[in-house]
Amino acid sequence: MTNGMKWILLIAELLTVGSALIVAINPNILYSAVFLLFSFLGIAVMYLFAGADFLAGVQVVVYVGGVTILILFAIMLTQWLYRLKLKDIGSKFVVPGVVLALGLVPFLHRGLTQLGKMVQAAPPEKMAEFAASPKTAMIGKALLTNYVLPFEAVTILLLGALVGAVWLARPKA
Amino acid sequence: MPVNSALFAQSLTQWTQGTWFASVPIWVWALVSALIIIYMLALPFGGIATYVERKIAADLQDRIGPNRVGPLGIFQFAADAIKMISKEDYVPPGGDRFLFNIAPVLVVVGSCAGFVALPLGQYLVAGDINIGVFYIMAITTIIAPGILLGSWASENKWSLLGGLRSAAQIVSYEIPVALSIVPIILISGSLQIGEIVKQQGWHDHFWNVFHNPFTFISFFILFVGGLAETNRIPFDLPEAESELVSGFNTEFSGMRFGLYALGEFVDVFVMCALVTSLYLGGWQIPFLELDKFWVTLPSGLIALIHVSFFLGKTFLLVFVVMWLRWTLPRLRVDQLMGLCWKGMVPVALFNILGTAIWMWAFKGQSMLQVVSGLFSGGGGSH
Amino acid sequence: MNLLDFSNSIEGYLLVSSILLTLGIFSVLTRKNAIGILLGVELILNAAGINFVAFSKFHSAAIDGQMVTLFIILIAAAEAAVALAIILRFYRLKQTIDADEASLLRN
């Protein structure tokens, strides 16, 4: 990978983390939702660089095109539109939250890295070959062989969620 | 000869070896090509499209249309652009300045980024991404948040109503659009647009519209769904001039409005180009494969002819879009949603099933191949 | 190891995902707004997705990690749809989406 590509990845990671920070601490819920969108885009770029081209597409379609729009919609339908009852931070959990956040990052990162060291790392040439190969056909094959049971389960889940969401959001009888 | 842009890129690299071109880092090229796409393709197209749209509107309504600036008023778009740039930079006082600024940018980025994966000619594609179709589907979804946020930020109830309508419409119509791309993927076995177009040659299975009866239907679903996704009449409820003043862009003026208008036209172009590539054979010339028919023709000329065929088909579809604008009345909201969920989604699903059965029954041959197989002796396998 | 190489290593990916997870938990804990809590949950799910993709490339060089992320994304979409439907319903009931107000056991 050239240095320019690495710069793009670094910028994407910084975008992801920075936007996620704003999502967590901005008192205005609408801004949080907007920066969640940027965070999703950064994650999609990270997926691309990890050789997950199809997943990056799914990430953008589902999260940016679906979830973010739904969230923005829900915000606009449930807040007093221009009286801005949107500011909401400051419940009793703020201090424990900060402490937890400061303690958890090094702990998690160290633990995960150790876990990574316990598993054998892939040889670099195999890793590069994997990263460069197109994934769509591989994912399609996997969905209909090894992963056919979770695939079917997810289809039922999605149908259930669809019907359930419509039923929940129905107008008052 | 492998049909991919890698070959083109390789020859370009050999060409530039030893010159100062080779020492320029790749990201500079990426930036330059992005600027070229925006300034050489998107901006002039957006500008000229406004002129053409006004002329077509005038023709259909038996008027003259713009005729003051330049011969036949052809420089009207330049005058409009200058007017837009020189307008006051106005943000509604109660609105949200930050969101008001980024919303039009999201729309333009989302629509211009689609250009990357569109093959203009056999080797002329900025990046023949192997998830090409999916990429265009994905990147154009950024437009919807752009419209929604812009409408909210302008603190205007008409804007907000338009934005909410637009978001609901785009999210709903994405489903039939995506479903009517699936038959093409079944046929070509690839998401790469260059590969899909390549398979639609005259000696292969010709244009995908005529591949089988189901793709013929799904072509229309894709086109109509695309109209709805780009907020064009008869699906222009988000703008709905007679109900919502100007919809989501009511409060936008000057260049911010210009960005919205540009984004919409570019989106229309990308949508028409996508339909052309998937269903109408992209750069393929009907009934002819030029490089086999006339081997001695210089490749540059072939590329030029291919590009002009691609642009010709695309602009024909763009013309149809503009024509529909002055022909059809606007739908009601309930009709819009009914058409999508009760009409287009079931038919699109049926098309997928039908195409799958066709592929199984006729071993992947198109209608033309099946018919010509019947005539060329006993319908044997090829 | 400089910053550029760090960004392209498994440690870089894991650091991003740890930060996302903690920010997600933080936002679930501190938000009173039900939609804010949902935003936090989305961050947590994405952090998990990044982990799977990172291990899929750097450790197994196989498709399995990506498959899990694919299912995570699908489930997150279903979850968001149902959660927002519940929020809308709750709003219609109480005219607010403050999560602390959700204390009724029946209605």
mmCIF file with all atom_site columns, all heavy atoms in Angstrom, chain A residues 30-31 53 57-58 60 69 73 76 81-82 136, chain B residues 96 98 130-131 134 138 144 152 155 160 164 191:
data_model
loop_
_atom_site.group_PDB
_atom_site.id
_atom_site.type_symbol
_atom_site.label_atom_id
_atom_site.label_alt_id
_atom_site.label_comp_id
_atom_site.label_asym_id
_atom_site.label_entity_id
_atom_site.label_seq_id
_atom_site.pdbx_PDB_ins_code
_atom_site.Cartn_x
_atom_site.Cartn_y
_atom_site.Cartn_z
_atom_site.occupancy
_atom_site.B_iso_or_equiv
_atom_site.pdbx_formal_charge
_atom_site.auth_seq_id
_atom_site.auth_comp_id
_atom_site.auth_asym_id
_atom_site.auth_atom_id
_atom_site.pdbx_PDB_model_num
ATOM 1   N N   . LEU A 1 30  ? -29.742 16.273  17.088  1.00 0.00 ? 30  LEU A N   1
ATOM 2   C CA  . LEU A 1 30  ? -29.709 16.280  15.630  1.00 0.00 ? 30  LEU A CA  1
ATOM 3   C C   . LEU A 1 30  ? -28.267 16.278  15.131  1.00 0.00 ? 30  LEU A C   1
ATOM 4   O O   . LEU A 1 30  ? -27.913 15.567  14.190  1.00 0.00 ? 30  LEU A O   1
ATOM 5   C CB  . LEU A 1 30  ? -30.454 17.498  15.097  1.00 0.00 ? 30  LEU A CB  1
ATOM 6   C CG  . LEU A 1 30  ? -30.702 17.446  13.606  1.00 0.00 ? 30  LEU A CG  1
ATOM 7   C CD1 . LEU A 1 30  ? -31.771 16.427  13.305  1.00 0.00 ? 30  LEU A CD1 1
ATOM 8   C CD2 . LEU A 1 30  ? -31.101 18.779  13.069  1.00 0.00 ? 30  LEU A CD2 1
ATOM 9   N N   . TYR A 1 31  ? -27.411 17.070  15.783  1.00 0.00 ? 31  TYR A N   1
ATOM 10  C CA  . TYR A 1 31  ? -26.002 17.064  15.401  1.00 0.00 ? 31  TYR A CA  1
ATOM 11  C C   . TYR A 1 31  ? -25.399 15.684  15.623  1.00 0.00 ? 31  TYR A C   1
ATOM 12  O O   . TYR A 1 31  ? -24.594 15.207  14.823  1.00 0.00 ? 31  TYR A O   1
ATOM 13  C CB  . TYR A 1 31  ? -25.231 18.108  16.214  1.00 0.00 ? 31  TYR A CB  1
ATOM 14  C CG  . TYR A 1 31  ? -25.263 19.487  15.606  1.00 0.00 ? 31  TYR A CG  1
ATOM 15  C CD1 . TYR A 1 31  ? -26.442 19.968  15.056  1.00 0.00 ? 31  TYR A CD1 1
ATOM 16  C CD2 . TYR A 1 31  ? -24.132 20.282  15.570  1.00 0.00 ? 31  TYR A CD2 1
ATOM 17  C CE1 . TYR A 1 31  ? -26.482 21.225  14.498  1.00 0.00 ? 31  TYR A CE1 1
ATOM 18  C CE2 . TYR A 1 31  ? -24.168 21.548  15.009  1.00 0.00 ? 31  TYR A CE2 1
ATOM 19  C CZ  . TYR A 1 31  ? -25.344 22.005  14.475  1.00 0.00 ? 31  TYR A CZ  1
ATOM 20  O OH  . TYR A 1 31  ? -25.380 23.236  13.916  1.00 0.00 ? 31  TYR A OH  1
ATOM 21  N N   . ASP A 1 53  ? -14.837 -5.009  0.327   1.00 0.00 ? 53  ASP A N   1
ATOM 22  C CA  . ASP A 1 53  ? -15.456 -4.043  -0.578  1.00 0.00 ? 53  ASP A CA  1
ATOM 23  C C   . ASP A 1 53  ? -16.974 -4.118  -0.550  1.00 0.00 ? 53  ASP A C   1
ATOM 24  O O   . ASP A 1 53  ? -17.659 -3.110  -0.469  1.00 0.00 ? 53  ASP A O   1
ATOM 25  C CB  . ASP A 1 53  ? -14.925 -4.220  -2.008  1.00 0.00 ? 53  ASP A CB  1
ATOM 26  C CG  . ASP A 1 53  ? -14.987 -5.651  -2.476  1.00 0.00 ? 53  ASP A CG  1
ATOM 27  O OD1 . ASP A 1 53  ? -15.489 -6.497  -1.711  1.00 0.00 ? 53  ASP A OD1 1
ATOM 28  O OD2 . ASP A 1 53  ? -14.549 -5.937  -3.590  1.00 0.00 ? 53  ASP A OD2 1
ATOM 29  N N   . GLY A 1 57  ? -19.987 -1.302  0.805   1.00 0.00 ? 57  GLY A N   1
ATOM 30  C CA  . GLY A 1 57  ? -21.216 -0.908  0.120   1.00 0.00 ? 57  GLY A CA  1
ATOM 31  C C   . GLY A 1 57  ? -22.430 -1.128  0.989   1.00 0.00 ? 57  GLY A C   1
ATOM 32  O O   . GLY A 1 57  ? -23.297 -0.253  1.116   1.00 0.00 ? 57  GLY A O   1
ATOM 33  N N   . VAL A 1 58  ? -22.490 -2.310  1.645   1.00 0.00 ? 58  VAL A N   1
ATOM 34  C CA  . VAL A 1 58  ? -23.632 -2.606  2.520   1.00 0.00 ? 58  VAL A CA  1
ATOM 35  C C   . VAL A 1 58  ? -23.706 -1.593  3.638   1.00 0.00 ? 58  VAL A C   1
ATOM 36  O O   . VAL A 1 58  ? -24.782 -1.081  3.983   1.00 0.00 ? 58  VAL A O   1
ATOM 37  C CB  . VAL A 1 58  ? -23.512 -4.034  3.088   1.00 0.00 ? 58  VAL A CB  1
ATOM 38  C CG1 . VAL A 1 58  ? -24.580 -4.277  4.126   1.00 0.00 ? 58  VAL A CG1 1
ATOM 39  C CG2 . VAL A 1 58  ? -23.625 -5.047  1.990   1.00 0.00 ? 58  VAL A CG2 1
ATOM 40  N N   . VAL A 1 60  ? -22.714 1.514   3.670   1.00 0.00 ? 60  VAL A N   1
ATOM 41  C CA  . VAL A 1 60  ? -23.247 2.808   3.236   1.00 0.00 ? 60  VAL A CA  1
ATOM 42  C C   . VAL A 1 60  ? -24.742 2.695   2.941   1.00 0.00 ? 60  VAL A C   1
ATOM 43  O O   . VAL A 1 60  ? -25.538 3.539   3.369   1.00 0.00 ? 60  VAL A O   1
ATOM 44  C CB  . VAL A 1 60  ? -22.475 3.322   2.010   1.00 0.00 ? 60  VAL A CB  1
ATOM 45  C CG1 . VAL A 1 60  ? -23.094 4.598   1.509   1.00 0.00 ? 60  VAL A CG1 1
ATOM 46  C CG2 . VAL A 1 60  ? -21.035 3.566   2.367   1.00 0.00 ? 60  VAL A CG2 1
ATOM 47  N N   . ILE A 1 69  ? -31.326 7.945   7.970   1.00 0.00 ? 69  ILE A N   1
ATOM 48  C CA  . ILE A 1 69  ? -32.539 8.630   7.534   1.00 0.00 ? 69  ILE A CA  1
ATOM 49  C C   . ILE A 1 69  ? -33.671 8.368   8.517   1.00 0.00 ? 69  ILE A C   1
ATOM 50  O O   . ILE A 1 69  ? -34.410 9.287   8.912   1.00 0.00 ? 69  ILE A O   1
ATOM 51  C CB  . ILE A 1 69  ? -32.953 8.126   6.145   1.00 0.00 ? 69  ILE A CB  1
ATOM 52  C CG1 . ILE A 1 69  ? -31.862 8.396   5.130   1.00 0.00 ? 69  ILE A CG1 1
ATOM 53  C CG2 . ILE A 1 69  ? -34.250 8.753   5.714   1.00 0.00 ? 69  ILE A CG2 1
ATOM 54  C CD1 . ILE A 1 69  ? -31.945 9.720   4.511   1.00 0.00 ? 69  ILE A CD1 1
ATOM 55  N N   . PHE A 1 73  ? -35.548 11.144  10.704  1.00 0.00 ? 73  PHE A N   1
ATOM 56  C CA  . PHE A 1 73  ? -37.005 11.191  10.595  1.00 0.00 ? 73  PHE A CA  1
ATOM 57  C C   . PHE A 1 73  ? -37.635 11.172  11.974  1.00 0.00 ? 73  PHE A C   1
ATOM 58  O O   . PHE A 1 73  ? -38.501 11.989  12.300  1.00 0.00 ? 73  PHE A O   1
ATOM 59  C CB  . PHE A 1 73  ? -37.454 9.935   9.836   1.00 0.00 ? 73  PHE A CB  1
ATOM 60  C CG  . PHE A 1 73  ? -38.390 10.227  8.739   1.00 0.00 ? 73  PHE A CG  1
ATOM 61  C CD1 . PHE A 1 73  ? -37.920 10.332  7.446   1.00 0.00 ? 73  PHE A CD1 1
ATOM 62  C CD2 . PHE A 1 73  ? -39.729 10.374  8.992   1.00 0.00 ? 73  PHE A CD2 1
ATOM 63  C CE1 . PHE A 1 73  ? -38.786 10.603  6.431   1.00 0.00 ? 73  PHE A CE1 1
ATOM 64  C CE2 . PHE A 1 73  ? -40.594 10.647  7.967   1.00 0.00 ? 73  PHE A CE2 1
ATOM 65  C CZ  . PHE A 1 73  ? -40.130 10.765  6.688   1.00 0.00 ? 73  PHE A CZ  1
ATOM 66  N N   . MET A 1 76  ? -37.142 14.369  13.821  1.00 0.00 ? 76  MET A N   1
ATOM 67  C CA  . MET A 1 76  ? -37.976 15.471  13.368  1.00 0.00 ? 76  MET A CA  1
ATOM 68  C C   . MET A 1 76  ? -39.444 15.261  13.722  1.00 0.00 ? 76  MET A C   1
ATOM 69  O O   . MET A 1 76  ? -40.199 16.217  13.845  1.00 0.00 ? 76  MET A O   1
ATOM 70  C CB  . MET A 1 76  ? -37.800 15.658  11.873  1.00 0.00 ? 76  MET A CB  1
ATOM 71  C CG  . MET A 1 76  ? -36.437 16.212  11.572  1.00 0.00 ? 76  MET A CG  1
ATOM 72  S SD  . MET A 1 76  ? -36.117 16.324  9.852   1.00 0.00 ? 76  MET A SD  1
ATOM 73  C CE  . MET A 1 76  ? -34.385 16.685  9.903   1.00 0.00 ? 76  MET A CE  1
ATOM 74  N N   . LEU A 1 81  ? -40.522 20.956  16.879  1.00 0.00 ? 81  LEU A N   1
ATOM 75  C CA  . LEU A 1 81  ? -39.609 21.196  15.781  1.00 0.00 ? 81  LEU A CA  1
ATOM 76  C C   . LEU A 1 81  ? -38.733 22.401  15.977  1.00 0.00 ? 81  LEU A C   1
ATOM 77  O O   . LEU A 1 81  ? -37.532 22.327  15.893  1.00 0.00 ? 81  LEU A O   1
ATOM 78  C CB  . LEU A 1 81  ? -40.403 21.323  14.486  1.00 0.00 ? 81  LEU A CB  1
ATOM 79  C CG  . LEU A 1 81  ? -40.860 19.956  14.041  1.00 0.00 ? 81  LEU A CG  1
ATOM 80  C CD1 . LEU A 1 81  ? -41.759 20.070  12.845  1.00 0.00 ? 81  LEU A CD1 1
ATOM 81  C CD2 . LEU A 1 81  ? -39.668 19.095  13.719  1.00 0.00 ? 81  LEU A CD2 1
ATOM 82  N N   . TYR A 1 82  ? -39.324 23.552  16.256  1.00 0.00 ? 82  TYR A N   1
ATOM 83  C CA  . TYR A 1 82  ? -38.472 24.721  16.329  1.00 0.00 ? 82  TYR A CA  1
ATOM 84  C C   . TYR A 1 82  ? -38.387 25.281  17.730  1.00 0.00 ? 82  TYR A C   1
ATOM 85  O O   . TYR A 1 82  ? -37.841 26.330  17.954  1.00 0.00 ? 82  TYR A O   1
ATOM 86  C CB  . TYR A 1 82  ? -38.930 25.764  15.316  1.00 0.00 ? 82  TYR A CB  1
ATOM 87  C CG  . TYR A 1 82  ? -38.690 25.214  13.952  1.00 0.00 ? 82  TYR A CG  1
ATOM 88  C CD1 . TYR A 1 82  ? -39.725 24.913  13.102  1.00 0.00 ? 82  TYR A CD1 1
ATOM 89  C CD2 . TYR A 1 82  ? -37.389 24.905  13.553  1.00 0.00 ? 82  TYR A CD2 1
ATOM 90  C CE1 . TYR A 1 82  ? -39.472 24.346  11.880  1.00 0.00 ? 82  TYR A CE1 1
ATOM 91  C CE2 . TYR A 1 82  ? -37.138 24.341  12.338  1.00 0.00 ? 82  TYR A CE2 1
ATOM 92  C CZ  . TYR A 1 82  ? -38.183 24.062  11.507  1.00 0.00 ? 82  TYR A CZ  1
ATOM 93  O OH  . TYR A 1 82  ? -37.931 23.491  10.302  1.00 0.00 ? 82  TYR A OH  1
ATOM 94  N N   . THR A 1 136 ? -17.528 -10.257 -3.479  1.00 0.00 ? 136 THR A N   1
ATOM 95  C CA  . THR A 1 136 ? -18.960 -10.479 -3.681  1.00 0.00 ? 136 THR A CA  1
ATOM 96  C C   . THR A 1 136 ? -19.274 -11.949 -3.917  1.00 0.00 ? 136 THR A C   1
ATOM 97  O O   . THR A 1 136 ? -20.161 -12.521 -3.284  1.00 0.00 ? 136 THR A O   1
ATOM 98  C CB  . THR A 1 136 ? -19.443 -9.648  -4.880  1.00 0.00 ? 136 THR A CB  1
ATOM 99  O OG1 . THR A 1 136 ? -18.842 -8.373  -4.796  1.00 0.00 ? 136 THR A OG1 1
ATOM 100 C CG2 . THR A 1 136 ? -20.926 -9.517  -4.871  1.00 0.00 ? 136 THR A CG2 1
ATOM 101 N N   . ASP B 2 96  ? -30.222 26.835  11.134  1.00 0.00 ? 96  ASP B N   1
ATOM 102 C CA  . ASP B 2 96  ? -29.009 26.240  11.675  1.00 0.00 ? 96  ASP B CA  1
ATOM 103 C C   . ASP B 2 96  ? -27.897 26.416  10.647  1.00 0.00 ? 96  ASP B C   1
ATOM 104 O O   . ASP B 2 96  ? -27.897 25.776  9.604   1.00 0.00 ? 96  ASP B O   1
ATOM 105 C CB  . ASP B 2 96  ? -29.277 24.760  11.935  1.00 0.00 ? 96  ASP B CB  1
ATOM 106 C CG  . ASP B 2 96  ? -28.147 24.111  12.677  1.00 0.00 ? 96  ASP B CG  1
ATOM 107 O OD1 . ASP B 2 96  ? -26.984 24.396  12.349  1.00 0.00 ? 96  ASP B OD1 1
ATOM 108 O OD2 . ASP B 2 96  ? -28.426 23.320  13.571  1.00 0.00 ? 96  ASP B OD2 1
ATOM 109 N N   . PHE B 2 98  ? -24.652 25.734  10.388  1.00 0.00 ? 98  PHE B N   1
ATOM 110 C CA  . PHE B 2 98  ? -23.761 24.627  10.017  1.00 0.00 ? 98  PHE B CA  1
ATOM 111 C C   . PHE B 2 98  ? -24.448 23.645  9.075   1.00 0.00 ? 98  PHE B C   1
ATOM 112 O O   . PHE B 2 98  ? -23.933 23.329  7.991   1.00 0.00 ? 98  PHE B O   1
ATOM 113 C CB  . PHE B 2 98  ? -23.292 23.921  11.289  1.00 0.00 ? 98  PHE B CB  1
ATOM 114 C CG  . PHE B 2 98  ? -22.535 22.664  11.027  1.00 0.00 ? 98  PHE B CG  1
ATOM 115 C CD1 . PHE B 2 98  ? -21.265 22.705  10.475  1.00 0.00 ? 98  PHE B CD1 1
ATOM 116 C CD2 . PHE B 2 98  ? -23.095 21.428  11.313  1.00 0.00 ? 98  PHE B CD2 1
ATOM 117 C CE1 . PHE B 2 98  ? -20.571 21.542  10.224  1.00 0.00 ? 98  PHE B CE1 1
ATOM 118 C CE2 . PHE B 2 98  ? -22.408 20.260  11.072  1.00 0.00 ? 98  PHE B CE2 1
ATOM 119 C CZ  . PHE B 2 98  ? -21.143 20.319  10.522  1.00 0.00 ? 98  PHE B CZ  1
ATOM 120 N N   . ASN B 2 130 ? -15.210 -3.289  -8.785  1.00 0.00 ? 130 ASN B N   1
ATOM 121 C CA  . ASN B 2 130 ? -15.878 -4.572  -8.992  1.00 0.00 ? 130 ASN B CA  1
ATOM 122 C C   . ASN B 2 130 ? -17.214 -4.682  -8.287  1.00 0.00 ? 130 ASN B C   1
ATOM 123 O O   . ASN B 2 130 ? -17.921 -5.659  -8.463  1.00 0.00 ? 130 ASN B O   1
ATOM 124 C CB  . ASN B 2 130 ? -14.955 -5.746  -8.635  1.00 0.00 ? 130 ASN B CB  1
ATOM 125 C CG  . ASN B 2 130 ? -14.488 -5.682  -7.223  1.00 0.00 ? 130 ASN B CG  1
ATOM 126 O OD1 . ASN B 2 130 ? -15.278 -5.435  -6.326  1.00 0.00 ? 130 ASN B OD1 1
ATOM 127 N ND2 . ASN B 2 130 ? -13.208 -5.883  -7.004  1.00 0.00 ? 130 ASN B ND2 1
ATOM 128 N N   . ILE B 2 131 ? -17.587 -3.672  -7.482  1.00 0.00 ? 131 ILE B N   1
ATOM 129 C CA  . ILE B 2 131 ? -18.965 -3.652  -6.996  1.00 0.00 ? 131 ILE B CA  1
ATOM 130 C C   . ILE B 2 131 ? -19.697 -2.452  -7.607  1.00 0.00 ? 131 ILE B C   1
ATOM 131 O O   . ILE B 2 131 ? -20.576 -1.865  -6.985  1.00 0.00 ? 131 ILE B O   1
ATOM 132 C CB  . ILE B 2 131 ? -19.035 -3.579  -5.465  1.00 0.00 ? 131 ILE B CB  1
ATOM 133 C CG1 . ILE B 2 131 ? -18.210 -2.406  -4.930  1.00 0.00 ? 131 ILE B CG1 1
ATOM 134 C CG2 . ILE B 2 131 ? -18.590 -4.850  -4.829  1.00 0.00 ? 131 ILE B CG2 1
ATOM 135 C CD1 . ILE B 2 131 ? -18.577 -2.018  -3.530  1.00 0.00 ? 131 ILE B CD1 1
ATOM 136 N N   . PHE B 2 134 ? -23.440 -1.539  -7.235  1.00 0.00 ? 134 PHE B N   1
ATOM 137 C CA  . PHE B 2 134 ? -23.715 -1.395  -5.823  1.00 0.00 ? 134 PHE B CA  1
ATOM 138 C C   . PHE B 2 134 ? -23.121 -0.090  -5.302  1.00 0.00 ? 134 PHE B C   1
ATOM 139 O O   . PHE B 2 134 ? -23.731 0.597   -4.480  1.00 0.00 ? 134 PHE B O   1
ATOM 140 C CB  . PHE B 2 134 ? -23.110 -2.599  -5.110  1.00 0.00 ? 134 PHE B CB  1
ATOM 141 C CG  . PHE B 2 134 ? -23.665 -2.848  -3.767  1.00 0.00 ? 134 PHE B CG  1
ATOM 142 C CD1 . PHE B 2 134 ? -25.018 -2.748  -3.548  1.00 0.00 ? 134 PHE B CD1 1
ATOM 143 C CD2 . PHE B 2 134 ? -22.852 -3.191  -2.724  1.00 0.00 ? 134 PHE B CD2 1
ATOM 144 C CE1 . PHE B 2 134 ? -25.538 -2.981  -2.306  1.00 0.00 ? 134 PHE B CE1 1
ATOM 145 C CE2 . PHE B 2 134 ? -23.365 -3.426  -1.483  1.00 0.00 ? 134 PHE B CE2 1
ATOM 146 C CZ  . PHE B 2 134 ? -24.705 -3.312  -1.271  1.00 0.00 ? 134 PHE B CZ  1
ATOM 147 N N   . ALA B 2 138 ? -25.032 2.892   -3.519  1.00 0.00 ? 138 ALA B N   1
ATOM 148 C CA  . ALA B 2 138 ? -24.661 3.285   -2.165  1.00 0.00 ? 138 ALA B CA  1
ATOM 149 C C   . ALA B 2 138 ? -24.371 4.775   -2.098  1.00 0.00 ? 138 ALA B C   1
ATOM 150 O O   . ALA B 2 138 ? -24.888 5.475   -1.223  1.00 0.00 ? 138 ALA B O   1
ATOM 151 C CB  . ALA B 2 138 ? -23.446 2.487   -1.700  1.00 0.00 ? 138 ALA B CB  1
ATOM 152 N N   . ALA B 2 144 ? -30.096 11.845  0.123   1.00 0.00 ? 144 ALA B N   1
ATOM 153 C CA  . ALA B 2 144 ? -31.297 11.950  0.959   1.00 0.00 ? 144 ALA B CA  1
ATOM 154 C C   . ALA B 2 144 ? -31.033 12.702  2.267   1.00 0.00 ? 144 ALA B C   1
ATOM 155 O O   . ALA B 2 144 ? -31.783 13.632  2.587   1.00 0.00 ? 144 ALA B O   1
ATOM 156 C CB  . ALA B 2 144 ? -31.869 10.566  1.223   1.00 0.00 ? 144 ALA B CB  1
ATOM 157 N N   . TRP B 2 152 ? -34.469 20.899  7.147   1.00 0.00 ? 152 TRP B N   1
ATOM 158 C CA  . TRP B 2 152 ? -34.652 21.180  8.574   1.00 0.00 ? 152 TRP B CA  1
ATOM 159 C C   . TRP B 2 152 ? -33.936 22.461  8.965   1.00 0.00 ? 152 TRP B C   1
ATOM 160 O O   . TRP B 2 152 ? -34.461 23.265  9.735   1.00 0.00 ? 152 TRP B O   1
ATOM 161 C CB  . TRP B 2 152 ? -34.110 20.020  9.417   1.00 0.00 ? 152 TRP B CB  1
ATOM 162 C CG  . TRP B 2 152 ? -34.495 20.161  10.840  1.00 0.00 ? 152 TRP B CG  1
ATOM 163 C CD1 . TRP B 2 152 ? -35.656 19.756  11.405  1.00 0.00 ? 152 TRP B CD1 1
ATOM 164 C CD2 . TRP B 2 152 ? -33.740 20.783  11.880  1.00 0.00 ? 152 TRP B CD2 1
ATOM 165 N NE1 . TRP B 2 152 ? -35.672 20.076  12.729  1.00 0.00 ? 152 TRP B NE1 1
ATOM 166 C CE2 . TRP B 2 152 ? -34.519 20.709  13.050  1.00 0.00 ? 152 TRP B CE2 1
ATOM 167 C CE3 . TRP B 2 152 ? -32.494 21.399  11.936  1.00 0.00 ? 152 TRP B CE3 1
ATOM 168 C CZ2 . TRP B 2 152 ? -34.077 21.222  14.260  1.00 0.00 ? 152 TRP B CZ2 1
ATOM 169 C CZ3 . TRP B 2 152 ? -32.067 21.911  13.137  1.00 0.00 ? 152 TRP B CZ3 1
ATOM 170 C CH2 . TRP B 2 152 ? -32.852 21.821  14.284  1.00 0.00 ? 152 TRP B CH2 1
ATOM 171 N N   . GLU B 2 155 ? -35.484 26.255  8.778   1.00 0.00 ? 155 GLU B N   1
ATOM 172 C CA  . GLU B 2 155 ? -36.521 26.727  9.676   1.00 0.00 ? 155 GLU B CA  1
ATOM 173 C C   . GLU B 2 155 ? -37.718 27.280  8.928   1.00 0.00 ? 155 GLU B C   1
ATOM 174 O O   . GLU B 2 155 ? -38.053 28.452  9.018   1.00 0.00 ? 155 GLU B O   1
ATOM 175 C CB  . GLU B 2 155 ? -35.971 27.799  10.629  1.00 0.00 ? 155 GLU B CB  1
ATOM 176 C CG  . GLU B 2 155 ? -36.679 27.748  11.957  1.00 0.00 ? 155 GLU B CG  1
ATOM 177 C CD  . GLU B 2 155 ? -36.807 29.103  12.610  1.00 0.00 ? 155 GLU B CD  1
ATOM 178 O OE1 . GLU B 2 155 ? -36.312 30.079  12.048  1.00 0.00 ? 155 GLU B OE1 1
ATOM 179 O OE2 . GLU B 2 155 ? -37.411 29.160  13.688  1.00 0.00 ? 155 GLU B OE2 1
ATOM 180 N N   . LEU B 2 160 ? -39.527 21.932  5.555   1.00 0.00 ? 160 LEU B N   1
ATOM 181 C CA  . LEU B 2 160 ? -39.477 20.706  6.344   1.00 0.00 ? 160 LEU B CA  1
ATOM 182 C C   . LEU B 2 160 ? -40.425 19.669  5.765   1.00 0.00 ? 160 LEU B C   1
ATOM 183 O O   . LEU B 2 160 ? -40.064 18.481  5.637   1.00 0.00 ? 160 LEU B O   1
ATOM 184 C CB  . LEU B 2 160 ? -39.832 21.000  7.792   1.00 0.00 ? 160 LEU B CB  1
ATOM 185 C CG  . LEU B 2 160 ? -39.617 19.779  8.666   1.00 0.00 ? 160 LEU B CG  1
ATOM 186 C CD1 . LEU B 2 160 ? -38.139 19.506  8.808   1.00 0.00 ? 160 LEU B CD1 1
ATOM 187 C CD2 . LEU B 2 160 ? -40.242 19.947  10.007  1.00 0.00 ? 160 LEU B CD2 1
ATOM 188 N N   . LEU B 2 164 ? -39.189 16.026  4.483   1.00 0.00 ? 164 LEU B N   1
ATOM 189 C CA  . LEU B 2 164 ? -39.704 14.755  5.005   1.00 0.00 ? 164 LEU B CA  1
ATOM 190 C C   . LEU B 2 164 ? -40.277 13.908  3.872   1.00 0.00 ? 164 LEU B C   1
ATOM 191 O O   . LEU B 2 164 ? -40.035 12.705  3.782   1.00 0.00 ? 164 LEU B O   1
ATOM 192 C CB  . LEU B 2 164 ? -40.784 15.009  6.061   1.00 0.00 ? 164 LEU B CB  1
ATOM 193 C CG  . LEU B 2 164 ? -40.301 15.570  7.389   1.00 0.00 ? 164 LEU B CG  1
ATOM 194 C CD1 . LEU B 2 164 ? -41.460 15.842  8.308   1.00 0.00 ? 164 LEU B CD1 1
ATOM 195 C CD2 . LEU B 2 164 ? -39.345 14.608  8.056   1.00 0.00 ? 164 LEU B CD2 1
ATOM 196 N N   . LEU B 2 191 ? -21.100 -7.519  -10.734 1.00 0.00 ? 191 LEU B N   1
ATOM 197 C CA  . LEU B 2 191 ? -21.575 -6.201  -10.326 1.00 0.00 ? 191 LEU B CA  1
ATOM 198 C C   . LEU B 2 191 ? -20.776 -5.108  -11.014 1.00 0.00 ? 191 LEU B C   1
ATOM 199 O O   . LEU B 2 191 ? -21.039 -3.930  -10.832 1.00 0.00 ? 191 LEU B O   1
ATOM 200 C CB  . LEU B 2 191 ? -21.429 -6.028  -8.815  1.00 0.00 ? 191 LEU B CB  1
ATOM 201 C CG  . LEU B 2 191 ? -22.350 -6.806  -7.898  1.00 0.00 ? 191 LEU B CG  1
ATOM 202 C CD1 . LEU B 2 191 ? -21.934 -6.621  -6.459  1.00 0.00 ? 191 LEU B CD1 1
ATOM 203 C CD2 . LEU B 2 191 ? -23.761 -6.350  -8.072  1.00 0.00 ? 191 LEU B CD2 1
#
